Amino acid sequence: MSQQNDSTGAQRIAVTGSAIDADEVKAYLRQHPELLANDADLLASLVPPSQSTGRNVLDMQQFMIGRLQNQVRMLRDIQSDLIEATSLNSIAREQVHAATLKLLDARSFEHLIEYITAPDGLARMLGIRAATICIETANGVSGIGIRGVRVLEPGGVDRILGLGERCRLASNVRGSRGLYGNLAEEVHSEALVRLDVSPGSPPGLLALGGFDPEQFHPDQAVDLLEFLAHVVERCVRQWLDLPPAR
């Protein structure tokens, strides 16, 4: 009798002549039931029976086929999700880039604000229902401000976003009339981002309201949203001749 060590240095299995002792193999598999499940190459090399040959004999071939089919379906689902996510990210990136060029093409500060807030401006470019730019005011009265900028009470940005927070994305919301005016009833998700225009300027807010309840949701990445907000900050600074934020 000779003994052979397996590749992991685990247990020695008795070998008689050229045949492995079946009882030893069975005992090893009972002690290590995860072996076949964790070793795809070993499982693939087995030649199971094509059908059950008795009441206590499992049809391993059908078991293996079923497992492989489940794995293929799972991989296809993952592939489909990745393709969809990549496509949506590509569309969003193209929309934000196109909107950036429009913001940079503004002929005046009034034209800039009009493009941001008009339904056929930034909102249409991004495929959303409403876009609003807001600024806090010291007089404590919120509402529609001059030149189409909506006015928030002091501390309004922190109240909406959370103290010190930069962004907030929310799904299944009821649009606020304070942010979206008469379009509020058509806003069912939103993306909000803080605007820091200049050290001497009060905090601002860029609010984007979506048609669909899941158009914006907390699991989305915010890099494009933050980029768009930075572009708006710079455009406002340039037209108002303000120093950059720290």
Side-chain angles (χ1 to χ4, degrees), residues 226-241:
E226 291 183 336
F227 172 77
L228 182 63
H230 287 316
V231 173
V232 171
E233 290 170 348
R234 281 160 173 76
C235 289
V236 171
R237 256 198 319 268
Q238 288 178 354
W239 284 112
L240 299 183
D241 195 23

Side-chain angles (χ1 to χ4, degrees), residues 97-108:
H97 288 172
T100 296
L101 294 178
K102 286 288 188 180
L103 291 167
L104 295 174
D105 284 342
R107 300 183 298 274
S108 64

Side-chain angles (χ1 to χ4, degrees), residues 138-181:
N139 63 21
V141 178
S142 60
I144 299 178
I146 191 172
R147 296 171 174 170
V149 177
R150 301 193 72 84
V151 173
L152 299 175
E153 76 282 3
V157 174
D158 280 336
R159 175 181 58 81
I160 294 171
L161 287 179
L163 185 62
E165 293 295 324
R166 174 71 176 174
C167 299
R168 184 171 71 85
L169 281 75
S171 59
N172 296 286
V173 302
R174 178 177 296 178
S176 166
R177 292 188 65 84
L179 292 180
Y180 306 108

Side-chain angles (χ1 to χ4, degrees), residues 8-221:
T8 62
Q11 171 182 330
R12 292 183 181 277
I13 301 178
V15 178
T16 303
S18 60
I20 299 176
D21 189 323
D23 289 337
E24 292 285 340
V25 174
K26 292 176 183 178
Y28 184 84
L29 291 176
R30 289 192 183 101
Q31 294 173 14
H32 304 81
E34 77 285 353
L35 179 64
L36 293 179
N38 295 336
D39 195 328
D41 293 335
L42 176 59
L43 186 61
S45 68
L46 300 178
V47 183
S50 61
Q51 61 184 3
S52 176
T53 57
R55 293 180 60 185
N56 296 323
V57 179
L58 296 177
D59 188 346
M60 286 293 294
Q61 188 175 57
Q62 293 302 316
F63 171 77
M64 291 167 59
I65 290 174
R67 171 172 288 182
L68 291 174
Q69 288 174 335
N70 288 335
Q71 291 177 342
V72 169
R73 281 193 292 268
M74 182 179 65
L75 290 174
R76 285 177 177 171
D77 289 342
I78 293 174
Q79 181 187 49
S80 178
D81 290 344
L82 288 174
I83 291 173
E84 182 179 4
T86 300
S87 178
L88 292 175
N89 287 339
S90 178
I91 293 172
R93 184 172 61 251
E94 291 174 2
Q95 290 173 329
V96 170
H97 288 172
T100 296
L101 294 178
K102 286 288 188 180
L103 291 167
L104 295 174
D105 284 342
R107 300 183 298 274
S108 64
F109 179 71
E110 289 78 6
H111 185 214
L112 174 70
I113 300 302
E114 180 184 1
Y115 174 73
I116 293 173
T117 60
D120 61 348
L122 182 62
R124 176 175 293 181
M125 181 69 71
L126 298 180
I128 59 178
R129 185 63 187 100
T132 303
I133 187 169
C134 310
I135 195 76
E136 290 185 9
T137 180
N139 63 21
V141 178
S142 60
I144 299 178
I146 191 172
R147 296 171 174 170
V149 177
R150 301 193 72 84
V151 173
L152 299 175
E153 76 282 3
V157 174
D158 280 336
R159 175 181 58 81
I160 294 171
L161 287 179
L163 185 62
E165 293 295 324
R166 174 71 176 174
C167 299
R168 184 171 71 85
L169 281 75
S171 59
N172 296 286
V173 302
R174 178 177 296 178
S176 166
R177 292 188 65 84
L179 292 180
Y180 306 108
N182 58 4
L183 297 178
E185 293 183 358
E186 300 178 57
V187 170
H188 303 294
S189 61
E190 63 185 4
L192 308 173
V193 58
R194 185 185 300 267
L195 297 176
D196 294 318
V197 176
S198 180
S201 301
L205 183 74
L206 178 65
L208 307 177
F211 291 101
D212 191 279
E214 294 291 333
Q215 190 165 5
F216 297 110
H217 56 81
D219 293 333
Q220 286 177 319

